[in-house]
Amino acid sequence: MTWETEGLLTNLTILTVCGSLGLGIGSIAGGSLAASLGGIRRTMLISNVVAIISCCLKLIEWFPALVAGRLLFGICCGAQQFCMSKALNDTVPVKKIQLFSQFINGGLGIGVFISNLLGFLIPILDEEDPQSRADLIADENWRIVYGFSIVCEVFALIIIPLAFPSLSLSSLVQSGEKEQAKTLVKRVYKLAHLGAEEEDKAAEEIVNILGSTTSGSSSDLTLGEALTSKQHRFTSWNAVIMTFINQFSGISAILFFQTNIFLHMKDTGEFTLLPVIWSVQCVNFINMVASFFSHIPSGIFGQRVNLITGTHAVYICLAGIVVFNMMDLSIGILICLLCHLTCYQLSLGAIVLAHVQETCADRAVGFATLLFFLWVVITSLLIAPMIDNMGSSFTFGFFAVWTFLGSIYLHFNLKDTTYKYVVVEEAGEKVQKRVPCTEKDKKQLYMT
């Protein structure tokens, strides 16, 4: 890439915004695309093909092609995210859906880790070495980094026809197509081993359960209705606020600042065990591992307790970073950084988007996702100027304050989608039992 230095920041900003904007557009348009293209599977296949084309555009050393490729790829990923969420709701039993949400969070952790590993292919710029800049400009490995996503999309193109149903199970149940729903259930839940009679009985039981727990389609709601109607507005705006809390928890600042921490620790002799670049990768690996265990505390304590407790822990870690930074104690900063990443992944990182998808109408999910990526862009653009002009302590203190305010909001407004309490009669006495929330329970949780 031979961009002029004066325009480098502008170009990077445009590319960053295009990717996030595309994700938001795809998330909002996902429901309409699935309806117009004939179902989830067809939408996934078409978006995968378009995503491969967009990846090829990103390999062209021409800025408009890069912009178009980033925007188009983002739209495809947003649509795929919507379709995968709907497919999970249609095919995975309610009691297991939370586990799949954590797998999605783990997948994001893997994505971040692999992206950073691919960065090893790009030469490191040394401002004091003129040849370093020339080597970086001449290097062509950036095409490998951008081209790696083609491999992922081709793999998905092979898997999708096998993994995703061509019809929506919930839509069949809602429209009264019971026999078609039973046929789809038999294929999705793989019941053939039961024998013909037991297979039919099990399929009918699952269809009846789905019929009793479905909340009706929310795809027909417009975005305006989702945001303003008395029934849905609190749910939708609550989702918007939760995505704000997620990104203003300082996660982007942590990922941005970790390299500076290791450089300082190397200069002062506090940490010389690994080169800086490998130390950063170790932190990213811990971040990835923590994301895979995020389902454990939610399963034990429920979403509400886990999210509120985790948010408290996050702002305490941020405050710790401020204190240790003022003391110029890098090892203390590193410990708080690792605790922050772990607490974030076990709470905010794992729960927020899952909670939004569970409780909101389709269009509101898309809108909240759009704003989620907008907050990513805003925080990413804020961090470098804030650290340069106001210092690291102010930057992390800024995010600590917002996270503290977020924890207060969650304490008064967050409801649990993991379990509910019902009164049942046992041995002639009424007792309170904790049971998993159904899909209908989750969608009606905030409705007024």
Side-chain angles (χ1 to χ4, degrees):
M1 290 292 178
T2 56
W3 297 342
E4 295 296 328
T5 304
E6 293 78 9
L8 180 60
L9 181 60
T10 301
N11 289 338
L12 290 175
T13 303
I14 292 172
L15 288 178
T16 303
V17 170
C18 279
S20 301
L21 179 63
L23 282 164
I25 293 172
S27 299
I28 288 178
S32 300
L33 285 173
S36 60
L37 294 176
I40 291 172
R41 182 168 65 173
R42 186 173 296 177
T43 304
M44 288 286 289
L45 289 170
I46 293 174
S47 63
N48 265 106
V49 172
V50 177
I52 292 172
I53 296 172
S54 69
C55 290
C56 295
L57 282 174
K58 291 189 291 182
L59 299 180
I60 301 173
E61 195 172 342
W62 184 44
F63 187 67
L66 274 174
V67 171
R70 291 272 294 180
L71 180 64
L72 197 57
F73 187 75
I75 292 173
C76 293
C77 289
Q80 289 170 13
Q81 178 185 345
F82 172 87
C83 290
M84 284 189 285
S85 299
K86 294 294 290 181
L88 286 174
N89 285 332
D90 280 350
T91 59
V92 178
V94 172
K95 63 182 180 180
K96 294 184 179 180
I97 193 69
Q98 184 65 31
L99 186 61
F100 275 77
S101 298
Q102 312 316 319
F103 286 157
I104 293 171
N105 187 53
L108 291 173
I110 290 177
V112 172
F113 181 69
I114 292 176
S115 299
N116 281 281
L117 281 180
L118 289 171
F120 282 136
L121 298 173
I122 307 298
I124 298 174
L125 177 63
D126 184 352
E127 295 288 356
E128 298 178 358
D129 182 6
Q131 185 59 37
S132 174
R133 178 173 291 277
D135 292 341
L136 182 60
I137 291 173
D139 188 79
E140 293 290 323
N141 283 343
W142 64 272
R143 297 184 194 275
I144 299 175
V145 176
Y146 270 136
F148 180 77
S149 53
I150 296 178
V151 178
C152 301
E153 294 298 330
V154 170
F155 177 75
L157 201 59
I158 298 170
I159 293 298
I160 287 169
L162 305 175
F164 288 92
S166 57
L167 296 171
S168 169
L169 181 55
S170 59
S171 64
L172 287 174
V173 173
Q174 291 164 21
S175 61
E177 301 289 343
K178 191 171 181 178
E179 291 304 316
Q180 289 189 49
K182 284 169 60 177
T183 302
L184 185 56
V185 162
K186 291 175 185 178
R187 182 166 67 84
V188 168
Y189 287 82
K190 296 180 174 58
L191 304 174
H193 67 282
L194 298 175
E197 187 175 343
E198 289 298 320
E199 179 187 26
D200 192 70
K201 187 185 295 184
E204 185 167 2
E205 183 180 350
I206 292 172
V207 168
N208 290 336
I209 291 172
L210 289 170
S212 65
T213 59
T214 184
S215 60
S217 175
S218 57
S219 300
D220 296 333
L221 275 178
T222 65
L223 178 59
E225 290 171 340
L227 295 174
T228 60
S229 69
K230 184 178 180 181
Q231 188 179 29
H232 293 278
R233 64 190 177 198
F234 182 80
T235 308
S236 303
W237 287 109
N238 179 64
V240 169
I241 295 171
M242 288 183 68
T243 59
F244 177 89
I245 296 170
N246 179 294
Q247 279 306 302
F248 276 75
S249 64
I251 183 63
S252 298
I254 292 288
L255 296 175
F256 175 87
F257 194 62
Q258 57 178 321
T259 302
N260 293 347
I261 295 172
F262 283 112
L263 285 171
H264 182 72
M265 292 175 72
K266 182 180 179 181
D267 292 340
T268 58
E270 291 181 67
F271 185 85
T272 57
L273 182 62
L274 292 172
V276 171
I277 193 168
W278 281 105
S279 300
V280 170
Q281 288 305 318
C282 288
V283 172
N284 290 328
F285 179 76
I286 292 172
N287 179 58
M288 179 187 69
V289 172
S291 68
F292 272 105
F293 290 95
S294 57
H295 67 283
I296 296 176
S298 291
I300 298 172
F301 305 109
Q303 276 192 2
R304 175 180 162 80
V305 173
N306 185 29
L307 183 53
I308 293 174
T309 305
T311 306
H312 286 310
V314 165
Y315 73 71
I316 290 172
C317 291
L318 289 170
I321 291 174
V322 173
V323 172
F324 286 120
N325 188 60
M326 295 174 69
M327 295 171 61
D328 200 26
L329 189 61
S330 296
I331 192 68
I333 297 174
L334 178 61
I335 292 171
C336 289
L337 180 149
L338 294 174
C339 290
H340 177 285
L341 285 175
T342 303
C343 293
Y344 172 85
Q345 289 296 352
L346 294 178
S347 56
L348 285 161
I351 295 173
V352 168
L353 288 180
H355 190 85
V356 168
Q357 291 173 344
E358 288 172 348
T359 58
C360 287
D362 294 344
R363 296 295 172 84
V365 171
F367 181 67
T369 306
L370 171 63
L371 290 181
F372 174 83
F373 293 116
L374 177 63
W375 305 139
V376 173
V377 173
I378 290 173
T379 53
S380 299
L381 295 178
L382 281 176
I383 290 162
M386 286 179 68
I387 290 178
D388 290 341
N389 298 313
M390 300 177 186
S392 304
S393 295
F394 176 88
T395 302
F396 287 100
F398 171 83
F399 289 113
V401 170
W402 278 114
T403 309
F404 172 72
L405 295 175
S407 69
I408 296 174
Y409 173 85
L410 293 173
H411 178 78
F412 288 103
N413 294 284
L414 183 68
K415 297 183 180 180
D416 202 342
T417 62
T418 312
Y419 302 104
K420 66 176 181 178
Y421 288 90
V422 297
V423 177
V424 297
E425 191 169 325
E426 291 184 355
E429 294 184 3
K430 290 185 177 180
V431 294
Q432 194 176 54
K433 293 188 67 176
R434 191 176 77 164
V435 297
C437 289
T438 64
E439 184 183 350
K440 183 178 181 180
D441 294 330
K442 295 174 183 178
K443 293 294 184 186
Q444 294 181 342
L445 204 57
Y446 294 100
M447 289 184 180
T448 56

